[in-house]
Amino acid sequence: MSVTWCRRALVGGRFEAGVRIEADASGRVTRLTVGAPDDGAGLRLGTVVPGFGNAHSHLFHRALRGRTHGDGGDFWSWREQMYAVAGALDPDRYRALAAAVFAEMLAAGYTAVGEFHYVHHRPGGAPYPDHDMELALADAAEEIGLRLTLLDTCYLRGGLDRPLEPAQRRFGDGSAEAWLERWHRLRDRLGHRRLVTLGAAVHSVRAVTEADVAAVVAGLPAGTPLHAHVSEQPRENEECLARTGLTPTGLLARAGALSPHFTAVHATHLTGADVGLLGGAGASVALCPTTEADLADGIGPARTLADAGVRVAIGSDQNAVVDPVLELRAAEAHERLASGRRGVFDPAELWLMGTANGYASLGLADPRAVPGLAVGDLCDLVELDDASARTVGSRPEQLVLAATAADVRTVVVGGRVRPVPDVAALLADALGALGTPSTLSSPGAVSAS
């Protein structure tokens, strides 16, 4: 059993004083006491919130940070540079980069991540002998101490009417049936790792047909988290409507994908009917505000989605920014810019987005209506500095509108303090092993994801 005493902590939607948290050997909260005196036992922390959940990440995109933001272009031209990085990965490089990026996430206060993983095979498409790329991610997460929901991704074509391009062949399994066979073998291979959960994804309606989406849904165990990129760009909507008569959300709904276990990533360009379908299904949406701004995707209808009953979570996506508080602040700021109003989301809603909603999207928690710690939760905690140059004088509930990742002092996963290694050194080594900037920024042409 572990014991943590917090000077104050977010419980039941409020910051309460003197919170004692007891967790069992499995790392789950068994008892919460509010107003408890500090008896000097166990771990002693200051201002504590639940760990942040990163609902959507492509960790290898981190290799492009600081090199692709100032050259103009659009989402489609940016993708060509991204494919060059994917082409340089092998299991050893992938594990090293994953450990470095996961360490950066842990240092920023993320205690769980959903890695949207599709770099499955060797360049050219030949399989590795033993799920080498997937095990590289699982091993890296366990090394760092970050919870990983491995969203193994079905990726079968290069566009609505195009086969995979050469740069995409390592992403594909040939058919939904072959992907499902590999997914089930991977589940057996992963076994019962304490920090690793196997989820699933269909890359998008561009990359997986409606029939294959239906096959994926039918072939997965009940309750498996299922994610998909949805309506990130208007072009996706236009092509899907032209070829099927449905929006991407409509197509996914008809294929049976929408459920409380489904997460639509981005969901930037939705119709009112799309919002209704997602809300009616009790689904989640993973907003990635810093990525959506960087790639000029647009502003998603976050307030409208939340009002329709959709659980809104956040993700770091391309990892140009790894900071959950900044993602939350960006989501709220985008709504202010779009509406001309302040306070479109109140602080309690932002805490919920960043913590419990992310965990629910990743299959790590049941949905809830208020933020904060509760008995039965995973004992994943983040201590924030409430007296830094950024936060001093802030009301506790408004730390989400004042703090940054620089204010994360201590991170606890499963009741254990997780020491953060030298993130910069890990990143320098991993990025150096991938190659020089010139080799990563000169990819061959790719016409579709």
Side-chain angles (χ1 to χ4, degrees):
M1 184 184 79
S2 67
V3 175
T4 303
W5 182 85
C6 310
R7 178 166 48 84
R8 62 185 170 199
L10 185 59
V11 179
R14 298 179 49 178
F15 279 88
E16 302 283 3
V19 177
R20 179 184 168 94
I21 306 165
E22 298 176 28
D24 62 17
S26 72
R28 287 194 177 272
V29 176
T30 56
R31 187 176 181 182
L32 276 173
T33 306
V34 173
D38 179 8
D39 60 8
L43 179 64
R44 299 169 69 250
L45 301 176
T47 296
V48 172
V49 298
F52 293 98
N54 184 349
H56 185 70
S57 164
H58 299 289
L59 73 87
F60 73 90
H61 295 188
R62 172 62 181 82
L64 297 175
R65 184 191 296 178
R67 295 194 293 105
T68 63
H69 314 301
D71 302 326
D74 57 13
F75 168 85
W76 307 99
S77 59
W78 168 85
R79 281 191 325 154
E80 296 184 11
Q81 301 175 79
M82 178 267 287
Y83 283 132
V85 180
L89 296 171
D90 61 25
D92 289 340
R93 289 171 172 174
Y94 205 22
R95 175 171 175 163
L97 185 60
V101 176
F102 291 163
E104 185 177 12
M105 290 178 185
L106 192 74
Y110 286 121
T111 49
V113 61
E115 182 59 30
F116 200 102
H117 162 70
Y118 50 79
V119 189
H120 301 302
H121 308 302
R122 301 179 190 273
Y128 286 100
D130 186 28
H131 305 284
D132 296 45
M133 297 296 271
E134 292 73 37
L135 294 180
L137 296 178
D139 290 345
E142 290 191 321
E143 174 190 340
I144 297 303
L146 181 75
R147 292 192 193 279
L148 169 67
T149 295
L150 177 54
L151 298 165
D152 195 273
T153 303
C154 186
Y155 196 137
L156 301 176
R157 58 182 182 170
L160 284 164
D161 56 2
R162 293 184 293 277
L164 293 174
E165 299 283 345
Q168 301 165 316
R169 286 175 186 160
R170 70 184 311 187
F171 308 158
D173 287 288
S175 68
E177 291 72 23
W179 177 84
L180 280 164
E181 289 177 8
R182 187 177 56 74
W183 190 93
H184 283 277
R185 291 196 307 271
L186 175 60
R187 183 176 63 163
D188 294 339
R189 184 67 178 83
L190 286 172
H192 299 286
R193 298 190 182 214
R194 186 168 177 177
L195 294 180
V196 180
T197 299
L198 182 59
V202 291
H203 179 272
S204 61
V205 299
R206 301 189 310 276
V208 183
T209 68
E210 180 182 353
D212 286 334
V213 172
V216 166
V217 172
L220 290 171
T224 301
L226 178 65
H227 291 215
H229 294 121
V230 176
S231 296
E232 182 177 3
Q233 288 283 319
R235 175 172 147 187
E236 177 184 308
N237 289 358
E238 293 161 4
E239 291 181 351
C240 192
L241 280 166
R243 287 164 176 78
T244 71
L246 294 170
T247 64
T249 302
L251 195 72
L252 290 165
R254 192 166 72 181
L258 303 192
S259 79
H261 307 290
F262 177 77
T263 297
V265 179
H266 301 303
T268 310
H269 301 282
L270 299 179
T271 66
D274 293 339
V275 172
L277 286 170
L278 292 167
S284 298
V285 161
L287 298 178
C288 307
T290 62
T291 292
E292 289 145 12
D294 179 64
L295 298 180
D297 289 339
I299 297 173
R303 181 71 268 171
T304 300
L305 285 162
D307 289 343
V310 177
R311 288 184 302 278
V312 179
I314 56 162
S316 64
D317 195 358
Q318 64 170 327
N319 295 296
V321 174
V322 175
D323 187 325
V325 186
L326 288 185
E327 294 290 355
L328 291 166
R329 202 136 72 238
E332 214 275 328
H334 289 176
E335 285 291 321
R336 294 185 185 206
L337 291 170
S339 67
R341 295 188 295 115
R342 300 182 76 213
V344 181
F345 284 99
D346 65 39
E349 290 177 298
L350 295 177
W351 289 118
L352 190 67
M353 271 188 216
T355 59
N357 284 3
Y359 268 54
S361 168
L362 299 177
L364 300 175
D366 292 330
R368 66 179 52 170
V370 295
L373 301 164
V375 171
D377 286 353
L378 294 165
C379 189
D380 297 350
L381 315 172
V382 172
E383 180 190 29
L384 294 173
D385 186 347
D386 58 9
S388 74
R390 292 161 297 279
T391 61
V392 65
S394 300
R395 296 176 179 173
E397 68 275 10
Q398 292 196 26
L399 285 171
V400 71
L401 297 168
T404 71
D407 296 305
V408 172
R409 298 180 61 179
T410 307
V411 180
V412 174
V413 178
R416 294 175 50 197
V417 174
R418 302 291 175 166
V420 177
D422 186 336
V423 175
L426 288 176
L427 285 167
D429 289 346
L431 294 172
L434 279 175
T436 64
S438 61
T439 61
L440 292 182
S441 58
S442 303
V446 176
S447 61
S449 78

